[in-house]
Amino acid sequence: MAKICKASDDVTNAIQGVVDKMGLTLYARFFALNITGQKQLVKVTKASPTTEYFSNTTDSIIVYVNEEIYGMLEPKQREMLIANALYGVDYDDEKDKLNVNQPELGISVQGYQQYGSELVNAAEAVQLALQQLKKRKEEEKAAKKKKKSNE
């Protein structure tokens, strides 16, 4: 069973360092927690309304770290993986909303072992294609809306 507790100062400082480098303190408050049994190094979630109520904060992000795994990695690997997890945090100015998205590239260890960086490149190509399709659909929708308003 997973156990959650306050993250060590080392982990908290590492997360805060990455958050500062990325300029994310403008959008949210970050809290680091240690979670045993988590099958990944870092998991980032937006705090629930209940958590925000009890912590008397808004726009809070919880960064769960498995410190057992953390201790087995080199400092550069730790920083890279923390930053990678935090890339999913963004603030939508139009909607005035904080979002936490999961990393787009879902690559298995086995797949990477077999195909290496070619698999990463392929997964990246899929994501770029999805972004292009999304942009195209938004442009088409805007064009239809503009056409209707001109009629």
Side-chain angles (χ1 to χ4, degrees), residues 10-105:
D10 182 40
V11 169
T12 301
N13 291 338
I15 291 169
Q16 193 59 52
V18 173
V19 165
D20 290 344
K21 279 184 189 177
M22 295 173 75
L24 295 173
T25 53
L26 298 172
Y27 307 112
R29 293 194 55 196
F30 290 79
F31 298 94
L33 294 175
N34 175 32
I35 184 167
T36 60
Q38 179 171 274
K39 298 195 186 304
Q40 61 202 65
L41 175 66
V42 183
K43 181 178 179 183
V44 179
T45 62
K46 187 173 184 311
S48 70
T50 304
T51 301
E52 289 184 338
Y53 173 79
F54 284 112
S55 64
N56 200 26
T57 63
T58 58
D59 293 333
S60 299
I61 301 294
I62 311 293
V63 182
Y64 297 98
V65 176
N66 182 325
E67 290 197 35
E68 188 174 15
I69 297 171
Y70 183 88
M72 300 168 74
L73 301 173
E74 297 295 321
K76 181 65 177 171
Q77 292 173 317
R78 296 171 186 169
E79 182 178 344
M80 261 191 317
L81 292 166
I82 290 169
N84 185 59
L86 290 172
Y87 285 135
V89 177
D90 79 323
Y91 190 80
D92 186 338
D93 290 328
E94 290 179 14
K95 296 180 181 176
D96 192 29
K97 182 179 177 188
L98 184 65
N99 298 307
V100 177
N101 305 304
Q102 298 306 312
E104 293 90 357
L105 298 178

Side-chain angles (χ1 to χ4, degrees), residues 105-127:
L105 298 178
I107 297 173
S108 68
V109 172
Q110 295 87 350
Y112 185 77
Q113 288 173 339
Q114 182 174 355
Y115 300 107
S117 62
E118 290 181 53
L119 179 60
V120 175
N121 293 339
E124 180 183 24
V126 169
Q127 291 306 311

